[in-house]
Amino acid sequence: MELITNSNVHREYQLSKFDSQMRLAPYYGVINWYQHPIDSHRLKIAIQQIVDTVPILAGRLVKKLFSPLKVVCNPQKSGVGFIDIDLDEQEINLDNLLDAKSYVKNEFNIPKNSSDAINKDTPLLYVILNHNQNYYGVTIFINHILADGGTYFKLLEYLSQAYEDPEYVAKSEPLFTIHFNKIDDFIEASFKQLSWKDKLLSSTSFLVFILKDFFQNKNNWSYLECILTKENLNSIKEKNKNLSQEESAYSTNDALFEFLSVVPIKRFIFPCNLRYRNVGIPENYLGNAEAFVSDLTKPENNYMLKHTDVRKSINQLPGIYSFLPTFNSKYMFHNSWVKLQNYLPGFGGKLIRQKLFEFDDIPKDVLSFAVKYSQIYRYTENEYLLIYINLKNVVSQVEKKLINLGVEDIIIKTS
């Protein structure tokens, strides 16, 4: 592993309380696959330009007794970890495009959890290049204390642009603004507006969530996975084309919320990117600025989720939580990366597949942590990966809707 350090900046950044809550979150990222060559030297130059502009990316996490969590940047010492792996003649399977193997983690001692980097000489950011004669995979792998999904995909865009245009970073400064107090101010102001019941809910929900999982009957759950095309998504949206004028805004996420709503629920939850909500957080804010928004469905709709419920909650942000409020079993959590992936990084060509970056090939027991959950993210230019976890009878109803939509190759796993 090679360290790409910032050239001449020594600085300390005090992280927000909100960022500090991400200690239990893993490092995360996606692996982007191409059939055109990615030049290792050009990629390192692009990383260097970004690190010199945003030196915090090359810093180290430091926590002293009775002091807040900080990122300390030491020029010419700490840096971004760059890993170039020549797979030589090793075959890359087009179905999985070589999700990163365990040996990458073991050989380079890449941590799993974000907290593993505290008070250690461990990079907060890794860039990994996997390649053989035919395929090239570029991965940004980042500590969640420093970044959320909005940060991540913006950074991936910057790296791709810097790779393609040597003058991109100089023309685009500042790439990020770093005012970590802004998110704490917003969360504190939002918390003050909650009722005492919601405050109690927010402060104790994580403990209740863990206890519920411990005692939950996990023998009645199913996991669904399938590929949705743009045509599938357009079909889902088409059924609501006769919306009234005041309901004219109807996004892909709106359509998915309604499409996946097959049984009554009392509460729906989703992560919201606060950068675009006019709450004082800049669009190029670096740290974590995605909070869980929660709201209730309406009894007059028999508690079936409508896109207008979601649209209203997006506009009003009625309930901001640090953790999932899952006291009531009648809830649904939806996570979409679709908007975050508007820019597909080309690195001088065309992306052929973007997948979650995983170290291990060991199949995950996705039903061991039973959560009513759906996720969608862009897989290729025309394809999206949908994941849906719920009780078996609910998943069965979603499966039927997908089949009626013309979706094939639906994977179902049961507990």
Side-chain angles (χ1 to χ4, degrees):
M1 181 175 74
E2 179 181 349
L3 281 181
I4 300 178
T5 63
N6 78 78
S7 299
N8 52 17
V9 177
H10 186 284
R11 189 169 178 181
E12 294 186 1
Y13 299 86
Q14 181 175 320
L15 296 169
S16 70
K17 297 176 183 177
F18 190 65
D19 290 318
S20 298
Q21 293 177 354
M22 305 300 166
R23 298 185 192 193
L24 297 178
Y27 275 68
Y28 70 104
V30 295
I31 185 164
N32 307 273
W33 285 103
Y34 306 89
Q35 285 184 290
H36 64 271
I38 306 294
D39 184 84
S40 176
H41 180 66
R42 282 179 61 187
L43 185 58
K44 286 192 287 185
I45 291 175
I47 298 169
Q48 185 70 69
Q49 290 177 322
I50 291 176
V51 167
D52 287 343
T53 305
V54 193
I56 189 174
L57 296 173
R60 296 294 184 267
L61 287 174
V62 176
K63 177 71 173 71
K64 295 182 179 179
L65 192 63
F66 305 121
S67 297
L69 187 63
K70 294 182 178 180
V71 175
V72 177
C73 306
N74 291 312
Q76 306 301 338
K77 184 179 178 182
S78 56
V80 169
F82 179 76
I83 301 173
D84 186 348
I85 302 174
D86 186 350
L87 299 167
D88 196 21
E89 296 182 2
Q90 181 175 337
E91 182 180 353
I92 295 179
N93 189 305
L94 281 175
D95 291 330
N96 59 33
L97 285 178
L98 191 73
D99 289 339
K101 305 296 183 183
S102 299
Y103 66 77
V104 178
K105 178 180 180 181
N106 297 333
E107 182 175 346
F108 300 103
N109 197 30
I110 298 177
K112 178 180 179 181
N113 295 318
S114 297
S115 60
D116 294 339
I118 297 176
N119 294 333
K120 295 180 182 177
D121 187 17
T122 301
L124 305 182
L125 177 67
Y126 295 85
V127 180
I128 304 171
L129 177 62
N130 285 301
H131 57 92
N132 66 5
Q133 296 93 332
N134 300 311
Y135 294 100
Y136 290 75
V138 179
T139 299
I140 291 181
F141 197 54
I142 198 165
N143 190 301
H144 212 316
I145 291 175
L146 194 63
D148 61 14
T151 313
Y152 180 86
F153 286 103
K154 186 60 68 175
L155 178 59
L156 183 57
E157 174 185 344
Y158 292 155
L159 182 61
S160 174
Q161 295 280 22
Y163 176 87
E164 296 171 8
D165 178 7
E167 300 298 321
Y168 177 77
V169 172
K171 293 184 297 186
S172 306
E173 292 190 57
L175 297 179
F176 291 106
T177 60
I178 305 172
H179 302 289
F180 292 124
N181 61 310
K182 288 184 178 296
I183 186 66
D184 283 344
D185 292 343
F186 172 75
I187 294 294
E188 183 179 352
S190 299
F191 194 77
K192 287 180 179 179
Q193 296 175 8
L194 297 177
S195 67
W196 69 267
K197 290 182 179 179
D198 282 340
K199 288 179 180 178
L200 178 64
L201 178 69
S202 180
S203 60
T204 61
S205 62
F206 184 65
L207 175 61
V208 174
F209 180 73
I210 295 298
L211 289 174
K212 279 190 63 178
D213 178 72
F214 184 77
F215 291 106
Q216 183 133 241
N217 179 6
K218 299 174 184 177
N219 296 321
N220 191 32
W221 288 75
S222 288
Y223 166 95
L224 180 150
E225 179 181 305
C226 68
I227 300 295
L228 293 178
T229 65
K230 285 183 180 179
E231 290 73 21
N232 295 146
L233 293 176
N234 288 337
S235 296
I236 294 172
K237 295 174 69 173
E238 183 69 16
K239 66 175 185 176
N240 278 41
K241 64 180 180 180
N242 295 321
L243 293 172
S244 60
Q245 186 65 33
E246 64 271 16
E247 299 177 7
S248 58
Y250 193 66
S251 69
T252 300
N253 282 337
D254 291 331
L256 279 169
F257 262 110
E258 283 194 302
F259 182 80
L260 298 175
S261 175
V262 295
V263 294
I265 61 170
K266 293 291 183 69
R267 184 179 293 277
F268 57 96
I269 310 155
F270 58 92
C272 181
N273 187 351
L274 300 174
R275 294 171 179 83
Y276 302 92
R277 301 299 168 209
N278 195 28
V279 294
I281 298 175
E283 292 185 10
N284 64 343
Y285 178 86
L286 177 70
N288 287 275
E290 288 186 351
F292 292 124
V293 175
S294 176
D295 208 350
L296 303 174
T297 55
K298 295 180 175 60
E300 57 266 30
N301 293 329
N302 296 317
Y303 300 106
M304 294 298 289
L305 182 59
K306 300 296 182 183
H307 85 275
T308 47
D309 299 332
V310 181
R311 180 62 51 185
K312 179 182 177 182
S313 62
I314 288 174
N315 293 334
Q316 298 182 1
L317 300 178
I320 301 290
Y321 295 90
S322 299
F323 295 105
L324 301 183
T326 55
F327 282 90
N328 192 311
S329 62
K330 295 182 178 179
Y331 71 93
M332 187 64 202
F333 177 62
H334 180 67
N335 187 13
S336 172
W337 289 3
V338 173
K339 281 191 175 181
L340 300 178
Q341 295 173 284
N342 279 340
Y343 177 87
L344 294 178
F347 289 95
K350 182 179 180 181
L351 176 77
I352 60 171
R353 189 160 298 181
Q354 185 173 82
K355 287 195 67 177
L356 284 173
F357 182 89
E358 297 176 335
F359 280 120
D360 302 314
D361 296 324
I362 301 172
K364 292 178 175 58
D365 182 8
V366 294
L367 297 170
S368 64
F369 203 61
V371 179
K372 296 177 180 178
Y373 174 79
S374 59
Q375 180 180 0
I376 187 169
Y377 71 91
R378 188 188 292 267
Y379 198 53
T380 68
E381 186 175 14
N382 187 50
E383 296 176 321
Y384 301 80
L385 181 67
L386 173 68
I387 295 171
Y388 188 87
I389 303 174
N390 210 315
L391 298 175
K392 291 180 181 178
N393 67 311
V394 179
V395 172
S396 177
Q397 293 181 59
V398 172
E399 180 187 17
K400 290 177 182 177
K401 294 183 73 172
L402 290 169
I403 292 173
N404 290 336
L405 194 66
V407 178
E408 300 177 353
D409 298 326
I410 300 173
I411 297 172
I412 301 286
K413 299 177 183 179
T414 59
S415 55

